[in-house]
Amino acid sequence: MTSSTAADYIEDVSPGSGALPPRARYASPDAKSLSLNGSWRLRVSATADAEDDSFAGEGYDAGDWAEVTVPGHWVLQGHGSPIYTNHLYPFPVDPPHVPTENPTGDHLRVFDLPSEWPSDGGAVLRLDGVESCARVWLNGTDIGEFKGSRLPHEFAVGHLLKPSGNVLAVRVHQWSAGSYLEDQDQWWLPGIFRDVTLLHRPPGSALDFFVHASYDHVDGAGTLRVDSDVDGRITVPALDIDVATGESVTVAVQPWTAETPYLYDGLLTTEGERVPLRIGFRTVELSDGLIKVNGKAVLFKGVNRHEWHPEKGRALDLETMREDVLLMKRHNVNAVRTSHYPPHPAFLDLCDEYGLWVIDECDLETHGFTEQAWRDNPVDDDRWTPALLDRAARMVERDKNHPSIVIWSLGNEAGTGRGLTAMAEWIHGRDRSRLVHYEGDINCRDTDVYSRMYASHAEVEHIGQELDGGTLKRRQLPFVLCEYGHAMGNGPGGLADYQRLFESYDRLQGGFIWEWIDHGIKDGRYAFAYGGDFGEELHDGNFVCDGLLFPDRVPSPGLIEYKKVIEPVSIDGADGSVRVTNKHDFADLSAFAFQWSYQVDGETVESGPLTVPPLAPGDSADVKLPAPPVESEGAESQWTVRALLAADTAWATAGHVIGWGQIPVTARPLPYVSATAGPVLGERRITLGPASFDARTGELKSIGALDVTGLRLDVWRATTDNDDGASWQTDIRYGLLWRKFGLHRMRHRLDGVELSEDALTVRTRVAPAAWEIGLATVYRWTSDGSRLRLTVSVAPEGDWTVPLPRLGIRFGLDAGADRVKWFGGGPGEGYPDTKSASQLGRWESTVDGLQTPYVRPQENGARADVRWAELGGLRIDGDPEFWFTARRWTTEQLDAAAHRTDLTPGDTVWVNLDHGQQGIGSQSCGPGPLPQYFLNAEPTEFSFVFSEAAFSEAAFSETPETS
């Protein structure tokens, strides 16, 4: 005979008991509410049955319990530790059972009702998010228990309330049967992490309602109908609408789109209350094999967004959510997939207001079952179907009145099964005004969109050409990359190449970068901690840090690159004119002002406005530029044309740059040094023009008064997350291959030092131990007396089957070399497949300012297409252009660092001047760099000219900007 305990509900596959049916979320000015957020008492036990339920009764003394903040996670407030896994369950997989060791947090809050709290009607207690299972008592009465961490649960409590001394008790278990449905790639963080609210429900108040607001793009009419469980009237003053609930009315309206988020203020009035409505008229349909809104196919330029704050975890406040939306809008993002659960409802309000397309995703992922070939997967087990349907209903019913939501998603990485089919059927039946998405449904049996993750460029083009095969239904559906461009560490690379495909084939309707923000936890030991830093038994390291924002919400170079790649206006041209193309789906260009500037050798000499017609979406115009304002013979010159906001908007101020383009006029003259000074051999030194060399080794020692250390060929970079790839990948992972062939430990053999009448030549062989491959390298030094030219010739030897990480020279300068000025790409870093946002100009920075603070240190900070750079009194001109990097630690130290705090500045500034860099790619989860971005080992020659720097450090600007 099996015994039962009071905690059997933890392992019950049902969604819970006692909660009210899900409904639309709203706030009414006629209904009082009381926030129960704030300071709560907490007791954490190691197991689910370590304590009895007496704490839930009135009069219990919890004075010796800890205090925590709700919303919050107790493990981020000093009680236990967070756990990070990507997909492995951090407990034995034996559904629906969970370990006896099950951290359990008993939460207590005593509250009084406000004096003005009405005595009539009822009341509802709402908990918006609790991980992962909760049991709730009010004044000693057990009112229910639930699972579904990122979903709202409400309980009728009016009959239990008293004027003062109300005791709300919530017992939260870290592990439950629900945990098997919540195996998302994120930290496991137990607690009450969203709002807790008491809501008065006046007699005759609205229960649930559904706003149907469609738009006919042919005649410009909107049709409104509000279905309500309680009869009432709908008024929309701006549209002169006053109709009963359930009745339809059609009027001329301004439609809602992510580009033009027009909302009408309305009111649902029932006998007991008024409910404010924010109504957006729009129609979503699958038509001609495309996702169309208001009759037009849309192109998603999206991001996947987990909720995250580096100190509060998933307990976000309104201003943090607003900051996310504003950053998205300012970086040209137009869509969000709420990976992998419905967000805080306030985030969707912001998406409605500011304008973002939303794929709202259900709180469902069972990814860990892939380790057992999906055996026992809950989504294919009928016992779990009620829980799945409950999760679908709680998402749809809560969020159904948001115009920003255009697609419902069943969840993520949960395999396939009958439960998902049941969810899709229920959603299709409940809401026919939106489409249904699920990436795991490869044959699109239950979905309206063919969705994939991390498909290569070649495969995406194949799909765009409709050559991918599959079922007949799938071949007739639009394609979306629900995840691509894995933004882990330095990268992602290849975004511009994906965007060109999206814009070339109608079937390809864009995608969503993985992901929005690094989930680093602020930690004094490491700056930001990641998986394994809390002693987890299983963890996936820094795979949790794969965002376009750093944990403190500072944009990474990846976000700057993405903004450029997806800009809604393209600008290019030649021969004195510029072609402007409107890439919006709905808006014309009337909101933009255009400006030209003319640069000579990177410096702006004149600028002015440019008149561009308010082009309709998809239209282009050729606009003549003025005559060049100055003669630029013997110098490099170009036009830069920018599209700016003409006036303040809700999300940015006038002058905010939307897009830009640069049009070359005259080419750069290459640096030339006539070899008029010859080398002079001394006892220990060779002198050549301003430089001195070691007489035995030919090693450069100084240029003028400036000491130089260790100049030699360099092919190694501290591998990026994308270089290293993911453990499950079968494709070539170049970081591993580079280490296998010893490119991180190259040895330099001196073969000869030769003096001629006009040159010093040093011959070497650079090669790794244990392999026959090598690079025959010749350094040829010449001078005209004041300048020094180095020409490096590299010839591969042996069978090179792997590209190089980088190819150039490295040397050290005194630590006092702090300030950098350069003419080239900037202001931020750029690599062969990540430099769309690299703008040619003159830039300034400190050495420290050149560094990109990735949570896990790795190769970073290279400035692309550099013509010349000045640092510490030294000027370097390149022939041809080069990549420039400077840092206060060696590449080897950078490579060995696991956290930012592992890097300590030394007494040398190490400078890399690279002829080439390997592309970055996205192989931390997706494909590696495209072949055109490989740095293949082949015969190569490049040159640098060294001279005294012309600029004064005293005039240096601390903020990088064009001069």
Side-chain angles (χ1 to χ4, degrees), residues 101-171:
E101 298 79 20
N102 187 0
T104 296
D106 291 334
H107 296 70
L108 269 181
R109 171 72 189 263
V110 179
F111 65 93
D112 299 333
L113 294 179
S115 58
E116 67 274 14
W117 191 269
S119 58
D120 60 344
V124 168
L125 175 69
R126 183 172 65 210
L127 296 100
D128 279 308
V130 183
E131 182 178 331
S132 73
C133 172
R135 193 170 198 99
V136 187
W137 296 262
L138 182 61
N139 293 329
T141 298
D142 182 351
I143 60 175
E145 47 82 17
F146 63 88
K147 308 173 191 75
S149 298
R150 270 68 71 171
L151 298 162
H153 293 85
E154 294 183 329
F155 300 88
V157 296
H159 59 296
L160 299 174
L161 290 171
K162 55 186 184 178
S164 62
N166 292 282
V167 178
L168 177 58
V170 184
R171 172 164 284 175

Side-chain angles (χ1 to χ4, degrees), residues 723-802:
D723 290 336
D724 291 336
S727 60
W728 63 83
Q729 291 172 332
T730 57
D731 293 344
I732 293 173
R733 297 159 60 193
Y734 287 102
L736 297 183
L737 205 57
W738 292 337
R739 292 185 195 276
K740 173 186 174 181
F741 283 109
L743 301 192
H744 60 308
R745 50 177 176 79
M746 301 291 273
R747 298 183 180 181
H748 298 252
R749 185 185 76 203
L750 178 63
D751 287 343
V753 178
E754 304 169 3
L755 277 66
S756 66
E757 182 177 332
D758 61 354
L760 166 64
T761 302
V762 180
R763 302 184 185 278
T764 69
R765 187 174 191 269
V766 183
W771 298 94
E772 52 85 29
I773 57 173
L775 300 170
T777 305
V778 178
Y779 308 92
R780 187 173 189 272
W781 299 92
T782 57
S783 176
D784 62 2
S786 60
R787 294 178 300 163
L788 183 71
R789 184 182 186 97
L790 167 64
T791 299
V792 182
S793 302
V794 179
E797 297 177 340
D799 185 14
W800 279 86
T801 59
V802 59

Side-chain angles (χ1 to χ4, degrees), residues 706 813-822 844-848 869-875 884 886 888 909 948-959:
L706 189 67
L813 299 175
D814 184 84
D818 179 53
R819 297 177 172 180
V820 185
K821 184 175 183 178
W822 74 98
E844 297 178 354
S845 176
T846 62
V847 168
D848 291 342
E870 296 182 351
L871 169 66
L874 182 67
R875 178 180 170 114
F884 172 83
R888 299 188 181 280
V909 172
E948 184 179 353
F951 87 104
S952 167
E953 293 200 354
F956 174 81
S957 168
E958 290 292 339
T959 303

Side-chain angles (χ1 to χ4, degrees), residues 692-748:
S692 69
F693 302 80
D694 184 282
R696 182 177 63 85
T697 65
E699 180 183 349
L700 178 67
K701 291 297 183 180
S702 65
I703 300 176
L706 189 67
D707 291 335
V708 180
T709 303
L711 188 148
R712 64 184 188 180
L713 190 78
D714 193 13
V715 299
W716 182 245
R717 71 185 186 195
T719 54
T720 68
D721 292 313
N722 287 306
D723 290 336
D724 291 336
S727 60
W728 63 83
Q729 291 172 332
T730 57
D731 293 344
I732 293 173
R733 297 159 60 193
Y734 287 102
L736 297 183
L737 205 57
W738 292 337
R739 292 185 195 276
K740 173 186 174 181
F741 283 109
L743 301 192
H744 60 308
R745 50 177 176 79
M746 301 291 273
R747 298 183 180 181
H748 298 252

